[in-house]
Amino acid sequence: MKNDRQQLEQLRQSIDECDEALLALLKKRQGFVEQLVAHKQAAGDAVFVPEREQAIFQRLTDRADFYGLDFELVRDILQRIMRDSYARQARIQRHISPQNQDHQPATQPHQQPQSAKSICVIGGKGQLGGFFVEQFRLSGHSVCVLDRNDWPNADQLLANKDLVLIAVPMAETETTIEQLSGLSDHTLLADITSVKHQPLQHMLKVHSGPVIGLHPMFGPGQSHMARQLLLYTQGRQPEASDWLLQQFRQWGCYTESIDAEAHDTLMGTVQALRHFVTFVTGWQLMANGQSLDELLRVSSPIYRLELSLIGRLFAQQPELYVDIWLKSEQAPSVISAFGDCFKQAEGWINKGERTQLINQFKQIADYFSHSNADFFQQSDTLLEAFRERIQSS
Amino acid sequence: MKNDRQQLEQLRQSIDECDEALLALLKKRQGFVEQLVAHKQAAGDAVFVPEREQAIFQRLTDRADFYGLDFELVRDILQRIMRDSYARQARIQRHISPQNQDHQPATQPHQQPQSAKSICVIGGKGQLGGFFVEQFRLSGHSVCVLDRNDWPNADQLLANKDLVLIAVPMAETETTIEQLSGLSDHTLLADITSVKHQPLQHMLKVHSGPVIGLHPMFGPGQSHMARQLLLYTQGRQPEASDWLLQQFRQWGCYTESIDAEAHDTLMGTVQALRHFVTFVTGWQLMANGQSLDELLRVSSPIYRLELSLIGRLFAQQPELYVDIWLKSEQAPSVISAFGDCFKQAEGWINKGERTQLINQFKQIADYFSHSNADFFQQSDTLLEAFRERIQSS
């Protein structure tokens, strides 16, 4: 029996030694990656290269097989290590760059002088605007900011720019565009509003030069843009925005072109309705006098995850969401359509119509089964990761 | 320039070598863990020991610090490795256990003969029922199954059991309980229905021995129970269920006691309303003729995650959900309350009442800010992990 205990202790010690070796290895890898990034930055190369990542994973599939390891295990660990690399790179860059110095290029520009652009970000002291100001500077562009109080100097700030980027709150987009009639002919005018049709039409009317509508599908709380999604709608002279889209890709973004009206229709569902349902869900919990902590105590991981997604909404600025509901032309009709389905299903429940409910469920399941989405199975792994996270913290 | 290329190539090779060493290390660790698990199983010890895990993470906090590594990186990687261990252990156990042989104990029982129990699982050929049959057998208990066609032999199958576990579909729970009036006095009667008050009252009426209500907050698609949540409601003679709760804890479950009526009230929100809103959301997408693939193309990671949670619901049996809506006494009132909030907010949007919406938003945000939940920040990391998953697959 005592021998057994000793053997158990020895095994535990061996496992601890493996973990120690793992840490040393992570540190060593980090050193090589930092050298690699320094090289890339000096050469102006993209830090995130999907093809290089894919090549690494392709090779690891074979190697995992060789060792008899689960490929998903190897992939998840490598992805986690790479994520750490991107975050570290972003921190290192920030540390190097001059803080709070407007109108100054970064000290470590990645751009060759001839490709550096002259940019004005309207609303560049806002959260997302400020994020782009920083990113443009880190990439060696010359950036100035036009803030609320700077309109008296607008002519000077906007003159002769390669890019004027509108990054003001949604409610101020229209009045901002109205003041941009005097831009230089070669200036590319762009916005990052969450609706695209109206602002794009408005920009095309006010400015006769190149125009593009952008919709970054991410918030300012990011340390980097690797793997983020940027939607864009061409307005006029698409060739004039090539460098800008290329810059986003160099930052690691995926870019997707979309028609302005199709964009707004999709966003009626993707943003307006979805956030609205989340809003009402939070409201109902509050109205019900439900204790969140008691709810959490008895919640499955999937519900804790859903609660955290609800809480995420309410941790942000109300205006962001309220203005999407009020500005989206599609919002009233999709919200009303949701309300109709809700009423009908509620009626079935109150009348105990089990067969109706089951048949409707099957129809919707059929609709979902026709998608190419292969990530339904992946939610299991994701939920397991989430369970580990909430219970170990 | 050529020298530069060479240096870049050398750095990439060094990184690849680190990755190769990482794989070898993972394999080595797996070997030690397998030996450790074999030891534990022979001794009948729990495979998942939260305290041992916590000790490992405590030590790693210091070591990560020593190496200048981000603790979250180290923690995430170790958790991923441990998850792989649990899944491997479950696979190894399954491989060892005899398949499809009813009434036979597993060949590798963990229990000492005196602690092995005699168990009948009613509905043990169903998904969740079958999962428990397997788990009980793997832990060395003697398990028989009472299926739909076995009622003629019920007296024999139910006689003298330590535990009779009801694991039938929700709609059949009542009629099943009615047939259990002849159980032995010492038999522990338990169910795993998603509502607790009515079934518990019913079991107490029919059976005069020990009674407990269980609600496993997980489905049958699990390979193991480590970190899962089991809710339980005591009915009669709680000491008679000590061994059962202890068994769940040995499997790695967290167990939480809850009053039957409080349980049902909470589940009105946690299950009935939540699944209902998901159901209506899926319905609206279908009714809208929305192409899921087009939606996915323009979706942020958080929306792809939400879509995958919706798809998850429709990948399951309709009866599971429809019967929760119809059997939950709380469902009609929470659904109606949600409908009221929805109508009021919809009215504000249609009338353009921006201030009302913003004020309501702030009130709900205040309600959420009073929770102790610290996982709101964690959803960022989780979403980043999800983004990696969907884009690399």
Side-chain angles (χ1 to χ4, degrees):
Chain A
M1 192 63 192
K2 196 191 161 211
N3 221 351
D4 240 39
R5 272 296 135 208
Q6 280 175 345
Q7 246 181 314
L8 211 70
E9 263 322 300
Q10 198 152 23
L11 281 168
R12 285 194 165 145
Q13 206 180 319
S14 300
I15 292 171
D16 287 348
E17 281 165 16
C18 282
D19 294 345
E20 182 75 19
L22 179 73
L23 263 60
L25 197 56
L26 287 174
K27 185 65 191 171
K28 192 173 158 195
R29 192 185 194 280
Q30 238 173 39
F32 291 130
V33 170
E34 271 171 30
Q35 290 180 50
L36 188 73
V37 170
H39 263 268
K40 283 183 171 186
Q41 288 189 333
D45 289 343
V47 166
F48 170 70
V49 185
E51 292 75 19
R52 161 76 181 151
E53 275 206 3
Q54 256 163 10
I56 290 181
F57 285 116
Q58 190 50 53
R59 203 178 56 79
L60 285 176
T61 313
D62 299 337
R63 300 309 296 159
D65 216 45
F66 171 82
Y67 283 104
L69 289 164
D70 188 12
F71 169 65
E72 290 189 4
L73 170 72
V74 173
R75 180 201 59 193
D76 288 354
I77 290 176
L78 256 291
Q79 281 181 340
R80 184 62 186 84
I81 292 173
M82 288 174 179
R83 189 201 318 164
D84 184 67
S85 297
Y86 295 127
R88 282 180 62 84
Q89 287 160 28
R91 277 202 300 271
I92 290 167
Q93 284 189 334
R94 291 231 163 69
H95 190 68
I96 289 168
S97 77
Q99 294 294 320
N100 306 318
Q101 296 184 23
D102 286 354
H103 313 101
Q104 295 298 322
T107 51
Q108 301 238 334
H110 313 168
Q111 301 292 334
Q112 305 302 317
Q114 68 273 21
S115 61
K117 302 290 179 180
S118 170
I119 300 171
C120 178
V121 179
I122 306 178
K125 287 186 177 162
Q127 283 197 296
L128 196 52
F131 175 75
F132 284 122
V133 168
E134 183 180 55
Q135 296 298 318
F136 279 123
R137 285 197 180 137
L138 289 170
S139 294
H141 301 291
S142 165
V143 188
C144 73
V145 168
L146 196 163
D147 203 44
R148 270 196 192 77
N149 308 320
D150 298 328
W151 284 104
N153 307 319
D155 283 354
Q156 190 201 328
L157 288 165
L158 296 169
N160 254 316
K161 295 295 167 191
D162 294 308
L163 168 67
V164 168
L165 181 67
I166 304 168
V168 300
M170 206 166 181
E172 298 167 29
T173 304
E174 280 176 57
T175 53
T176 302
I177 295 175
E178 264 162 33
Q179 298 174 67
L180 300 177
S181 54
L183 297 182
S184 314
D185 270 358
H186 77 280
T187 298
L188 171 63
L189 179 59
D191 77 315
I192 55 168
T193 318
S194 300
V195 294
K196 292 269 66 74
H197 181 63
Q198 279 195 341
L200 194 72
Q201 292 307 314
H202 202 168
M203 289 193 293
L204 285 168
K205 210 174 109 188
V206 164
H207 177 51
S208 58
V211 169
I212 188 170
L214 306 176
H215 187 184
M217 300 298 284
F218 50 91
Q222 310 291 333
S223 64
H224 60 86
M225 280 181 277
R227 302 171 200 280
Q228 299 283 8
L229 177 63
L230 175 83
L231 301 179
Y232 66 93
T233 302
Q234 290 291 359
R236 188 188 291 130
Q237 298 178 35
E239 66 285 0
S241 57
D242 277 351
W243 70 269
L244 181 59
L245 295 174
Q246 196 49 44
Q247 177 64 73
F248 273 97
R249 287 182 205 117
Q250 195 195 313
W251 285 330
C253 276
Y254 295 90
T255 57
E256 290 272 357
S257 165
I258 186 166
D259 168 77
E261 290 187 316
H263 169 277
D264 290 358
T265 300
L266 282 164
M267 289 304 139
T269 298
V270 173
Q271 296 196 315
L273 174 62
R274 181 167 61 98
H275 297 322
F276 184 72
V277 169
T278 305
F279 171 75
V280 175
T281 304
W283 185 353
Q284 193 273 337
L285 286 175
M286 178 184 74
N288 208 1
Q290 202 81 72
S291 153
L292 281 179
D293 294 324
E294 184 64 12
L295 269 183
L296 288 171
R297 192 176 75 90
V298 301
S299 292
S300 57
I302 196 169
Y303 185 53
R304 294 179 74 118
L305 175 58
E306 288 184 32
L307 271 181
S308 83
L309 294 179
I310 299 170
R312 212 180 146 80
L313 180 105
F314 290 104
Q316 294 172 70
Q317 293 296 315
E319 292 80 6
L320 282 175
Y321 296 98
V322 170
D323 286 336
I324 285 179
W325 300 329
L326 296 177
K327 293 276 171 187
S328 159
E329 289 174 41
Q330 287 71 24
S333 66
V334 286
I335 288 172
S336 159
F338 182 96
D340 291 343
C341 299
F342 187 94
K343 271 287 153 210
Q344 194 166 349
E346 186 183 13
W348 286 340
I349 288 180
N350 290 338
K351 286 185 216 131
E353 304 217 30
R354 188 167 186 264
T355 312
Q356 286 272 34
L357 285 162
I358 288 176
N359 287 343
Q360 188 65 32
F361 193 105
K362 284 180 180 163
Q363 268 190 44
I364 305 167
D366 184 60
Y367 162 72
F368 270 90
S369 71
H370 282 90
S371 155
N372 294 321
D374 57 353
F375 57 56
F376 293 165
Q377 304 89 321
Q378 297 171 337
S379 54
D380 265 335
T381 325
L382 186 79
L383 286 171
E384 185 140 20
F386 187 69
R387 198 158 51 231
E388 288 158 6
R389 197 69 43 82
I390 53 181
Q391 286 172 352
S392 76
S393 61
Chain B
M1 191 64 192
K2 196 191 160 210
N3 222 350
D4 240 39
R5 272 296 135 210
Q6 280 175 346
Q7 246 180 315
L8 211 70
E9 262 322 299
Q10 198 152 22
L11 281 169
R12 284 195 166 144
Q13 207 180 318
S14 300
I15 292 171
D16 287 348
E17 280 164 17
C18 282
D19 294 344
E20 183 75 18
L22 179 73
L23 263 60
L25 197 56
L26 287 174
K27 186 64 192 172
K28 193 172 156 195
R29 191 185 194 279
Q30 236 173 40
F32 291 131
V33 170
E34 271 170 31
Q35 289 179 52
L36 187 73
V37 169
H39 263 268
K40 283 183 171 186
Q41 288 188 332
D45 289 343
V47 166
F48 171 71
V49 185
E51 292 75 19
R52 160 78 181 149
E53 275 206 4
Q54 258 163 9
I56 290 181
F57 285 117
Q58 190 50 53
R59 204 177 56 78
L60 285 176
T61 314
D62 299 337
R63 299 310 295 159
D65 217 44
F66 171 83
Y67 283 104
L69 289 164
D70 188 13
F71 169 65
E72 290 190 5
L73 169 72
V74 173
R75 179 201 60 193
D76 288 354
I77 291 177
L78 256 291
Q79 281 181 339
R80 184 62 186 83
I81 293 173
M82 287 174 179
R83 188 200 318 163
D84 184 67
S85 297
Y86 295 127
R88 282 180 61 84
Q89 287 160 29
R91 277 203 299 272
I92 290 168
Q93 283 189 334
R94 290 232 163 69
H95 190 68
I96 289 168
S97 76
Q99 293 295 320
N100 306 318
Q101 296 185 22
D102 286 355
H103 312 101
Q104 294 298 321
T107 51
Q108 301 239 334
H110 313 168
Q111 302 291 335
Q112 305 302 317
Q114 68 273 23
S115 61
K117 302 291 180 180
S118 170
I119 299 171
C120 178
V121 178
I122 306 178
K125 286 186 177 162
Q127 283 197 296
L128 196 51
F131 175 75
F132 284 122
V133 167
E134 183 180 55
Q135 295 299 318
F136 279 123
R137 285 198 180 136
L138 288 170
S139 294
H141 301 291
S142 164
V143 188
C144 73
V145 168
L146 195 163
D147 203 44
R148 270 196 192 77
N149 308 321
D150 298 329
W151 284 105
N153 307 320
D155 283 353
Q156 189 201 328
L157 288 166
L158 296 169
N160 254 315
K161 295 295 167 191
D162 294 308
L163 168 67
V164 168
L165 181 67
I166 304 169
V168 299
M170 206 166 181
E172 298 167 29
T173 304
E174 279 177 58
T175 52
T176 302
I177 295 176
E178 263 162 35
Q179 297 173 68
L180 300 177
S181 54
L183 297 182
S184 314
D185 270 357
H186 77 279
T187 298
L188 171 64
L189 179 59
D191 77 315
I192 55 168
T193 318
S194 300
V195 294
K196 291 268 67 75
H197 180 63
Q198 279 195 341
L200 194 72
Q201 292 307 314
H202 202 168
M203 289 193 293
L204 285 168
K205 210 174 108 187
V206 164
H207 177 51
S208 58
V211 169
I212 189 171
L214 306 176
H215 187 184
M217 300 298 284
F218 50 90
Q222 311 290 334
S223 64
H224 60 85
M225 278 181 277
R227 301 172 200 278
Q228 299 283 9
L229 177 62
L230 175 84
L231 301 179
Y232 66 93
T233 302
Q234 290 292 0
R236 187 188 293 130
Q237 298 178 35
E239 67 285 359
S241 57
D242 278 351
W243 71 269
L244 181 59
L245 295 174
Q246 196 48 46
Q247 176 64 72
F248 273 97
R249 288 181 205 118
Q250 195 195 313
W251 285 330
C253 276
Y254 294 90
T255 57
E256 290 272 358
S257 165
I258 187 166
D259 167 78
E261 290 187 317
H263 169 277
D264 290 358
T265 300
L266 282 164
M267 289 304 139
T269 298
V270 173
Q271 295 197 315
L273 174 62
R274 181 167 61 98
H275 297 323
F276 184 72
V277 170
T278 305
F279 171 75
V280 175
T281 303
W283 184 353
Q284 193 272 336
L285 287 175
M286 178 184 74
N288 208 0
Q290 202 81 72
S291 153
L292 280 179
D293 294 324
E294 184 63 12
L295 269 184
L296 288 171
R297 191 175 77 90
V298 301
S299 292
S300 57
I302 196 169
Y303 185 53
R304 293 179 73 118
L305 175 58
E306 288 184 33
L307 271 181
S308 83
L309 294 179
I310 299 170
R312 213 180 145 80
L313 180 105
F314 290 104
Q316 293 171 71
Q317 293 296 316
E319 292 80 6
L320 282 176
Y321 296 98
V322 171
D323 286 336
I324 285 179
W325 301 329
L326 297 177
K327 293 276 171 187
S328 158
E329 288 174 41
Q330 287 71 23
S333 66
V334 287
I335 288 172
S336 160
F338 182 96
D340 291 344
C341 299
F342 187 94
K343 272 286 154 211
Q344 195 167 349
E346 186 183 13
W348 286 339
I349 288 180
N350 290 338
K351 286 184 216 132
E353 304 217 29
R354 190 167 184 264
T355 313
Q356 286 272 35
L357 286 162
I358 288 176
N359 287 343
Q360 188 65 32
F361 194 105
K362 285 180 180 163
Q363 268 190 43
I364 305 168
D366 184 61
Y367 161 72
F368 270 89
S369 71
H370 283 90
S371 155
N372 293 322
D374 58 353
F375 56 57
F376 293 164
Q377 303 89 321
Q378 297 171 337
S379 53
D380 264 336
T381 324
L382 186 79
L383 285 171
E384 185 140 20
F386 187 69
R387 198 157 52 232
E388 288 158 6
R389 197 70 43 82
I390 54 181
Q391 286 172 352
S392 75
S393 61

